[in-house]
PDB file of all heavy atoms in Angstrom:
ATOM      1  N   LEU O 441       0.807  -3.920 -12.492  1.00 98.00           N
ATOM      2  CA  LEU O 441       0.384  -4.860 -13.517  1.00 98.00           C
ATOM      3  C   LEU O 441       1.131  -6.158 -13.453  1.00 98.00           C
ATOM      4  O   LEU O 441       2.411  -6.146 -13.210  1.00 98.00           O
ATOM      5  CB  LEU O 441       0.589  -4.193 -14.900  1.00 98.00           C
ATOM      6  CG  LEU O 441      -0.203  -2.940 -15.169  1.00 98.00           C
ATOM      7  CD1 LEU O 441       0.145  -2.349 -16.533  1.00 98.00           C
ATOM      8  CD2 LEU O 441      -1.705  -3.190 -15.074  1.00 98.00           C
ATOM      9  N   ASP O 442       0.464  -7.228 -13.633  1.00 98.00           N
ATOM     10  CA  ASP O 442       1.106  -8.544 -13.721  1.00 98.00           C
ATOM     11  C   ASP O 442       2.072  -8.479 -14.946  1.00 98.00           C
ATOM     12  O   ASP O 442       1.754  -7.850 -15.967  1.00 98.00           O
ATOM     13  CB  ASP O 442       0.122  -9.634 -13.873  1.00 98.00           C
ATOM     14  CG  ASP O 442      -0.608  -9.939 -12.575  1.00 98.00           C
ATOM     15  OD1 ASP O 442      -0.169  -9.472 -11.484  1.00 98.00           O
ATOM     16  OD2 ASP O 442      -1.607 -10.679 -12.582  1.00 98.00           O
ATOM     17  N   GLY O 443       3.191  -9.187 -14.819  1.00 98.00           N
ATOM     18  CA  GLY O 443       4.188  -9.114 -15.868  1.00 98.00           C
ATOM     19  C   GLY O 443       5.332  -8.180 -15.428  1.00 98.00           C
ATOM     20  O   GLY O 443       6.440  -8.280 -16.067  1.00 98.00           O
ATOM     21  N   THR O 444       5.119  -7.344 -14.462  1.00 98.00           N
ATOM     22  CA  THR O 444       6.210  -6.573 -13.899  1.00 98.00           C
ATOM     23  C   THR O 444       6.756  -7.317 -12.674  1.00 98.00           C
ATOM     24  O   THR O 444       6.192  -8.325 -12.244  1.00 98.00           O
ATOM     25  CB  THR O 444       5.723  -5.220 -13.407  1.00 98.00           C
ATOM     26  OG1 THR O 444       4.819  -5.331 -12.264  1.00 98.00           O
ATOM     27  CG2 THR O 444       4.933  -4.489 -14.549  1.00 98.00           C
ATOM     28  N   TYR O 445       7.864  -6.800 -12.111  1.00 98.00           N
ATOM     29  CA  TYR O 445       8.412  -7.499 -10.890  1.00 98.00           C
ATOM     30  C   TYR O 445       7.653  -7.046  -9.636  1.00 98.00           C
ATOM     31  O   TYR O 445       8.014  -7.495  -8.579  1.00 98.00           O
ATOM     32  CB  TYR O 445       9.880  -7.279 -10.811  1.00 98.00           C
ATOM     33  CG  TYR O 445      10.468  -5.862 -10.775  1.00 98.00           C
ATOM     34  CD1 TYR O 445       9.774  -4.755 -10.418  1.00 98.00           C
ATOM     35  CD2 TYR O 445      11.809  -5.725 -11.125  1.00 98.00           C
ATOM     36  CE1 TYR O 445      10.335  -3.482 -10.379  1.00 98.00           C
ATOM     37  CE2 TYR O 445      12.415  -4.448 -11.098  1.00 98.00           C
ATOM     38  CZ  TYR O 445      11.670  -3.365 -10.710  1.00 98.00           C
ATOM     39  OH  TYR O 445      12.240  -2.120 -10.688  1.00 98.00           O
ATOM     40  N   LYS O 446       6.538  -6.276  -9.829  1.00 98.00           N
ATOM     41  CA  LYS O 446       5.688  -5.868  -8.745  1.00 98.00           C
ATOM     42  C   LYS O 446       6.381  -4.960  -7.741  1.00 98.00           C
ATOM     43  O   LYS O 446       7.574  -4.806  -7.755  1.00 98.00           O
ATOM     44  CB  LYS O 446       5.048  -7.131  -8.076  1.00 98.00           C
ATOM     45  CG  LYS O 446       4.436  -8.114  -9.025  1.00 98.00           C
ATOM     46  CD  LYS O 446       3.237  -7.572  -9.773  1.00 98.00           C
ATOM     47  CE  LYS O 446       1.976  -7.501  -8.904  1.00 98.00           C
ATOM     48  NZ  LYS O 446       0.763  -7.133  -9.710  1.00 98.00           N
ATOM     49  N   PRO O 447       5.635  -4.353  -6.852  1.00 98.00           N
ATOM     50  CA  PRO O 447       6.257  -3.407  -5.855  1.00 98.00           C
ATOM     51  C   PRO O 447       7.360  -3.981  -5.013  1.00 98.00           C
ATOM     52  O   PRO O 447       8.331  -3.313  -4.728  1.00 98.00           O
ATOM     53  CB  PRO O 447       5.061  -2.962  -5.030  1.00 98.00           C
ATOM     54  CG  PRO O 447       3.852  -3.101  -5.907  1.00 98.00           C
ATOM     55  CD  PRO O 447       4.170  -4.332  -6.755  1.00 98.00           C
ATOM     56  N   VAL O 448       7.195  -5.296  -4.575  1.00 98.00           N
ATOM     57  CA  VAL O 448       8.267  -5.843  -3.767  1.00 98.00           C
ATOM     58  C   VAL O 448       9.513  -6.123  -4.622  1.00 98.00           C
ATOM     59  O   VAL O 448      10.662  -6.027  -4.156  1.00 98.00           O
ATOM     60  CB  VAL O 448       7.832  -7.134  -3.044  1.00 98.00           C
ATOM     61  CG1 VAL O 448       6.834  -6.765  -1.922  1.00 98.00           C
ATOM     62  CG2 VAL O 448       7.274  -8.166  -3.969  1.00 98.00           C
ATOM     63  N   GLY O 449       9.344  -6.436  -5.887  1.00 98.00           N
ATOM     64  CA  GLY O 449      10.454  -6.712  -6.777  1.00 98.00           C
ATOM     65  C   GLY O 449      11.298  -5.481  -6.936  1.00 98.00           C
ATOM     66  O   GLY O 449      12.547  -5.538  -7.050  1.00 98.00           O
ATOM     67  N   GLN O 450      10.641  -4.292  -6.928  1.00 98.00           N
ATOM     68  CA  GLN O 450      11.423  -3.055  -7.080  1.00 98.00           C
ATOM     69  C   GLN O 450      12.348  -2.807  -5.864  1.00 98.00           C
ATOM     70  O   GLN O 450      13.483  -2.342  -6.003  1.00 98.00           O
ATOM     71  CB  GLN O 450      10.459  -1.860  -7.227  1.00 98.00           C
ATOM     72  CG  GLN O 450      11.161  -0.580  -7.660  1.00 98.00           C
ATOM     73  CD  GLN O 450      10.145   0.431  -8.162  1.00 98.00           C
ATOM     74  OE1 GLN O 450       8.997   0.520  -7.694  1.00 98.00           O
ATOM     75  NE2 GLN O 450      10.573   1.296  -9.101  1.00 98.00           N
ATOM     76  N   GLN O 451      11.909  -3.305  -4.714  1.00 98.00           N
ATOM     77  CA  GLN O 451      12.757  -3.169  -3.528  1.00 98.00           C
ATOM     78  C   GLN O 451      13.956  -4.090  -3.592  1.00 98.00           C
ATOM     79  O   GLN O 451      15.105  -3.742  -3.226  1.00 98.00           O
ATOM     80  CB  GLN O 451      11.962  -3.434  -2.240  1.00 98.00           C
ATOM     81  CG  GLN O 451      10.694  -2.604  -2.079  1.00 98.00           C
ATOM     82  CD  GLN O 451      10.888  -1.078  -2.094  1.00 98.00           C
ATOM     83  OE1 GLN O 451       9.967  -0.332  -2.290  1.00 98.00           O
ATOM     84  NE2 GLN O 451      12.142  -0.625  -1.925  1.00 98.00           N
ATOM     85  N   TYR O 452      13.749  -5.301  -4.118  1.00 98.00           N
ATOM     86  CA  TYR O 452      14.918  -6.210  -4.374  1.00 98.00           C
ATOM     87  C   TYR O 452      15.851  -5.575  -5.382  1.00 98.00           C
ATOM     88  O   TYR O 452      17.072  -5.610  -5.216  1.00 98.00           O
ATOM     89  CB  TYR O 452      14.408  -7.538  -4.924  1.00 98.00           C
ATOM     90  CG  TYR O 452      13.899  -8.503  -3.847  1.00 98.00           C
ATOM     91  CD1 TYR O 452      12.539  -8.556  -3.509  1.00 98.00           C
ATOM     92  CD2 TYR O 452      14.746  -9.351  -3.199  1.00 98.00           C
ATOM     93  CE1 TYR O 452      12.051  -9.398  -2.546  1.00 98.00           C
ATOM     94  CE2 TYR O 452      14.303 -10.247  -2.192  1.00 98.00           C
ATOM     95  CZ  TYR O 452      12.943 -10.272  -1.875  1.00 98.00           C
ATOM     96  OH  TYR O 452      12.500 -11.144  -0.936  1.00 98.00           O
ATOM     97  N   ASP O 453      15.309  -5.056  -6.451  1.00 98.00           N
ATOM     98  CA  ASP O 453      16.124  -4.428  -7.499  1.00 98.00           C
ATOM     99  C   ASP O 453      17.009  -3.322  -6.924  1.00 98.00           C
ATOM    100  O   ASP O 453      18.225  -3.247  -7.176  1.00 98.00           O
ATOM    101  CB  ASP O 453      15.194  -3.879  -8.582  1.00 98.00           C
ATOM    102  CG  ASP O 453      15.924  -3.335  -9.778  1.00 98.00           C
ATOM    103  OD1 ASP O 453      17.153  -3.600  -9.948  1.00 98.00           O
ATOM    104  OD2 ASP O 453      15.309  -2.552 -10.529  1.00 98.00           O
ATOM    105  N   HIS O 454      16.412  -2.462  -6.146  1.00 98.00           N
ATOM    106  CA  HIS O 454      17.187  -1.334  -5.596  1.00 98.00           C
ATOM    107  C   HIS O 454      18.156  -1.819  -4.508  1.00 98.00           C
ATOM    108  O   HIS O 454      19.210  -1.245  -4.334  1.00 98.00           O
ATOM    109  CB  HIS O 454      16.181  -0.282  -4.985  1.00 98.00           C
ATOM    110  CG  HIS O 454      15.473   0.441  -6.070  1.00 98.00           C
ATOM    111  ND1 HIS O 454      14.853   1.672  -5.767  1.00 98.00           N
ATOM    112  CD2 HIS O 454      15.197   0.193  -7.352  1.00 98.00           C
ATOM    113  CE1 HIS O 454      14.276   2.094  -6.930  1.00 98.00           C
ATOM    114  NE2 HIS O 454      14.490   1.225  -7.872  1.00 98.00           N
TER     115      HIS O 454
END
Side-chain angles (χ1 to χ4, degrees):
L441 298 176
D442 286 348
T444 68
Y445 56 24
K446 308 296 283 188
V448 290
Q450 193 165 31
Q451 306 304 163
Y452 279 92
D453 185 17
H454 288 199

